[in-house]
Amino acid sequence: MPYMNSHNVQQLVNRYSDMILRISFMQLKSTDDAEDICQDVFMKLLTGDFQFESEAHEKAWIIRTTINACRDHMRTSFWKRATVLDEAYGIHATMQQDSELLEIIMTLPKNYRTSIYLHYYEGYSVNEIGTMLNKPANTISAYLSRGRKKLRPLLEDAYDLQCSSLERS
Amino acid sequence: MDIDLREEIIESMDAICFSPSDKKRIVANLTQAKITPIEREGKNMKKWKLPKVAVIAVTVIALTGGVAYAAGTISSTSVGSSIFDYKYTYEKLDKIYDKAGFEGYIIEEFSNGYSFDKAAVLKVNGQDENLNNVKSWNEIDVKYENAQGDKIGLALDESINTGETEDDRTPSSSRDINGIIVKYNEDEYVFLPGNMENNVPEEIKKRAENDEHYIISYGSDEEEHSTFTSINFVKDDVYYLIYGQNTTLSEDDFYSMAEEIINE
């Protein structure tokens, strides 16, 4: 029987769809195709005969499959056309608020963005991220280090602003 | 610094999320696309050809599952697709046929105003009871749209593949058009939350047992109803299925479209 079935479909979608969306956004800089990627990933779970040792293995598989699905989407020559179609159908994910930090993260190269997300949000180590992205661990360390350098001034500015407003009050 | 950064990143990323309705749609598409036939067979309920529910749905995951195969080895079929597959315009008809490996009769515009929008050549997987793929073939799936934006679909398969997938239900109606038997089906689907599987209201359960065209599917957040209408026939060894979800087209409209293909 497939790993995903009528009893756990909702549970799996609730557990992983936002993560798939965020990884898709990190990879593609757009949420327009995230729902398609989400469907692709879950369809693989639906049609494959998987046995995961643990929830951690399940999650790692979903992350790798999402990254691969994003690569497949980028490879297709219909990328731009599909984006237009998605917009026409009104598929879009929710961005609940503007985030200056997110804007800066999105100026970083794709692998930096994805590594930052997986490390800081999902809590994966550089070795684990290396396996997921098929890159050496020291490359991931470099991505994170360079990413931090770019993000640091923003955080310092925010910190200064906070301090000065506290002093004023 | 790193703790601040982590907190800031978590806060920023938390803002990126699917809305509850997006998630509901994903669950519904997945449920309709794959799980329904499995559940049905597990319950030894009658098997029949499901309409291509998700092709009509926005995110286009298609299905031709839940089919009764005379050959016995294949118990269901599934088709996975995305909008990326729908890349062919009517002008690329030759390429569609080349890729599919067979030809059929594809109308550019039906007299009721539905015109060719886009098409895909999809891989259909025939699966055994354990959902192992035992056979694959190509299917042409065409999307039609009218001026009001209403959509219907037309699927073409070589009948050598789908001929054995005879729908074993009594069709809602059938007609002989120029010597070809055309079968029309109007199916009402009731979608129920998964936790209602063992607690289906008696009225719904009874109707599903007695009405071949009333089908229960599980996995929605709340009870929902949808009507799927389709018409099918075989012409020159090609199986045609015209289908629509909650369409305003009448039974006669479907027969007229079938007739246009038959007379082509």
Side-chain angles (χ1 to χ4, degrees):
Chain A
M1 285 296 285
Y3 187 74
M4 196 175 197
N5 55 55
S6 62
H7 301 291
N8 64 7
V9 61
Q10 188 142 9
Q11 192 185 13
L12 287 167
V13 168
N14 284 338
R15 190 186 298 159
Y16 293 120
S17 59
D18 287 340
M19 181 183 80
I20 294 171
L21 168 64
R22 289 170 192 138
I23 293 171
S24 303
F25 187 52
M26 293 301 109
Q27 287 275 306
L28 307 174
K29 294 180 90 170
S30 161
T31 57
D32 292 337
D33 293 282
E35 189 166 324
D36 276 338
I37 287 164
C38 218
Q39 297 276 10
D40 286 349
V41 173
F42 287 128
M43 274 303 285
K44 283 191 169 74
L45 260 189
L46 267 173
T47 52
D49 185 17
F50 300 100
Q51 295 291 331
F52 296 112
E53 283 175 34
S54 64
E55 199 172 297
H57 285 85
E58 173 191 86
K59 185 175 177 180
W61 181 89
I62 287 176
I63 291 172
R64 279 196 305 274
T65 306
T66 302
I67 291 167
N68 288 336
C70 290
R71 286 178 182 153
D72 288 346
H73 269 59
M74 280 184 281
R75 269 198 289 266
T76 175
S77 56
F78 298 94
W79 171 246
K80 287 182 181 172
R81 181 172 171 267
T83 303
V84 171
L85 281 172
D86 270 350
E87 284 165 359
Y89 284 128
I91 299 173
H92 56 88
T94 308
M95 299 285 281
Q96 291 179 341
Q97 61 191 47
D98 292 333
S99 162
E100 204 177 340
L101 178 67
L102 196 57
E103 278 176 29
I104 294 187
I105 290 174
M106 297 318 287
T107 64
L108 300 172
K110 181 182 69 184
N111 285 333
Y112 288 37
R113 301 192 298 262
T114 307
S115 299
I116 285 172
Y117 170 76
L118 292 173
H119 181 67
Y120 287 103
Y121 192 91
E122 298 293 348
Y124 284 107
S125 68
V126 290
N127 283 325
E128 288 167 328
I129 298 168
T131 306
M132 289 167 181
L133 295 179
N134 203 21
K135 303 268 183 203
N138 57 358
T139 305
I140 305 297
S141 290
Y143 292 159
L144 291 174
S145 169
R146 289 175 207 151
R148 271 194 298 268
K149 263 186 197 166
K150 291 238 182 190
L151 297 174
R152 187 172 292 129
L154 173 79
L155 285 179
E156 283 169 356
D157 284 352
Y159 180 74
D160 288 346
L161 266 176
Q162 265 184 353
C163 289
S164 58
S165 65
L166 279 172
E167 281 165 10
R168 276 199 300 273
S169 62
Chain B
M1 154 73 193
D2 229 29
I3 293 170
D4 287 343
L5 182 60
R6 185 181 299 276
E7 284 172 1
E8 291 284 337
I9 287 172
I10 288 172
E11 195 179 319
S12 300
M13 295 294 175
D14 276 341
I16 307 168
C17 57
F18 280 118
S19 69
S21 62
D22 288 336
K23 286 182 185 173
K24 189 176 166 186
R25 187 172 55 243
I26 291 168
V27 170
N29 285 337
L30 290 166
T31 306
Q32 291 162 15
K34 187 69 191 179
I35 292 164
T36 305
I38 302 165
E39 286 181 334
R40 215 180 272 137
E41 288 175 17
K43 288 177 154 309
N44 291 322
M45 293 171 75
K46 289 176 184 172
K47 300 171 184 176
W48 45 66
K49 190 171 185 75
L50 278 175
K52 299 195 158 206
V53 179
V55 171
I56 292 287
V58 171
T59 45
V60 289
I61 289 186
L63 165 77
T64 50
V67 187
Y69 281 77
T73 52
I74 298 174
S75 59
S76 65
T77 61
S78 68
V79 183
S81 71
S82 75
I83 52 173
F84 298 101
D85 295 316
Y86 289 83
K87 57 193 178 189
Y88 297 105
T89 58
Y90 188 78
E91 290 68 37
K92 300 281 169 76
L93 213 50
D94 287 345
K95 285 195 173 172
I96 295 173
Y97 292 146
D98 278 351
K99 189 172 179 198
F102 67 96
E103 295 188 11
Y105 298 93
I106 296 178
I107 303 266
E108 186 174 12
E109 183 171 358
F110 287 100
S111 55
N112 59 10
Y114 278 87
S115 59
F116 187 110
D117 180 24
K118 52 186 177 273
V121 177
L122 305 174
K123 187 179 168 195
V124 182
N125 291 316
Q127 295 162 328
D128 64 17
E129 287 186 352
N130 297 317
L131 297 173
N132 299 310
N133 290 343
V134 292
K135 187 179 179 184
S136 297
W137 63 88
N138 287 332
E139 175 182 273
I140 300 171
D141 192 58
V142 185
K143 289 176 183 293
Y144 286 88
E145 194 170 336
N146 68 8
Q148 289 73 46
D150 301 327
K151 298 173 200 295
I152 56 165
L154 165 67
L156 292 80
D157 294 85
E158 282 184 285
S159 60
I160 193 169
N161 294 316
T162 55
E164 57 196 299
T165 72
E166 278 298 311
D167 191 338
D168 62 355
R169 295 177 298 165
T170 306
S172 302
S173 71
S174 67
R175 291 181 194 172
D176 183 327
I177 300 177
N178 296 340
I180 291 175
I181 301 299
V182 181
K183 296 174 183 173
Y184 171 82
N185 283 301
E186 199 171 300
D187 301 319
E188 183 179 346
Y189 278 70
V190 53
F191 298 102
L192 298 174
N195 59 11
M196 282 182 71
E197 198 174 352
N198 296 318
N199 192 24
V200 179
E202 200 56 35
E203 185 190 352
I204 291 176
K205 201 194 286 181
K206 212 162 219 176
R207 189 172 162 199
E209 283 168 3
N210 297 321
D211 183 351
E212 291 181 312
H213 297 277
Y214 186 78
I215 299 154
I216 303 173
S217 179
Y218 301 95
S220 60
D221 283 347
E222 54 191 32
E223 183 177 331
E224 290 173 24
H225 293 253
S226 257
T227 304
F228 301 102
T229 317
S230 65
I231 201 160
N232 67 77
F233 57 92
V234 174
K235 179 190 176 188
D236 296 342
D237 298 327
V238 174
Y239 173 88
Y240 293 82
L241 177 79
I242 306 170
Y243 57 91
Q245 178 181 355
N246 297 327
T247 174
T248 53
L249 289 170
S250 68
E251 183 176 346
D252 282 339
D253 289 332
F254 271 92
Y255 276 113
S256 296
M257 286 189 290
E259 191 169 359
E260 284 183 52
I261 294 173
I262 288 169
N263 291 336
E264 181 76 4

